[in-house]
Amino acid sequence: MSKKIRTTEVDHLFDAILCLKDKEECYTFFEDVCTVNELLSISQRYEVAKMLREGKTYLEISHSTGASTATISRVNRSLNYGNDGYDMVLERVKDK
């Protein structure tokens, strides 16, 4: 079952995120919007994506991030068969 992601509500959330000016504002907003565990999970998946693109092994990634092999596999699947969102952001961050 596929859930529709492109909704007016999601557009509003993304508009809100895009208006944040700096890292401090991100902390302020995301601490209100997400639970600590949700935010840590999202940041962990991002770190896993970075490490996979660096050629690290599942074992190295798991030891470094604490991510389960299921999480690493899910991120790897997104990297290989997703919408290239991770790669787009990783490239932009690398260029900064």
Side-chain angles (χ1 to χ4, degrees):
M1 174 195 289
S2 177
K3 291 184 179 178
K4 183 180 171 194
I5 187 173
R6 292 183 183 266
T7 66
T8 301
E9 294 82 6
V10 174
D11 283 348
H12 292 165
L13 173 63
F14 290 164
D15 287 340
I17 292 168
L18 289 169
C19 83
L20 298 171
K21 294 180 182 137
D22 57 27
K23 201 178 295 186
E24 268 314 304
E25 286 190 1
C26 287
Y27 274 105
T28 300
F29 180 71
F30 281 98
E31 284 181 28
D32 283 349
V33 172
C34 299
T35 66
V36 171
N37 285 337
E38 289 168 337
L39 196 50
L40 292 176
S41 292
I42 293 168
S43 64
Q44 181 187 64
R45 289 192 295 270
Y46 179 72
E47 291 302 314
V48 167
K50 283 189 344 187
M51 294 180 80
L52 283 167
R53 283 300 187 235
E54 292 168 357
K56 306 286 188 201
T57 67
Y58 276 35
L59 187 59
E60 290 172 314
I61 295 168
S62 180
H63 281 139
S64 177
T65 66
S68 68
T69 55
T71 296
I72 299 167
S73 180
R74 188 175 338 114
V75 171
N76 194 43
R77 190 169 43 253
S78 291
L79 286 169
N80 291 318
Y81 305 107
N83 294 319
D84 297 325
Y86 279 119
D87 286 326
M88 174 183 62
V89 170
L90 289 169
E91 189 66 29
R92 288 180 186 173
V93 168
K94 182 180 79 172
D95 290 343
K96 274 192 162 184

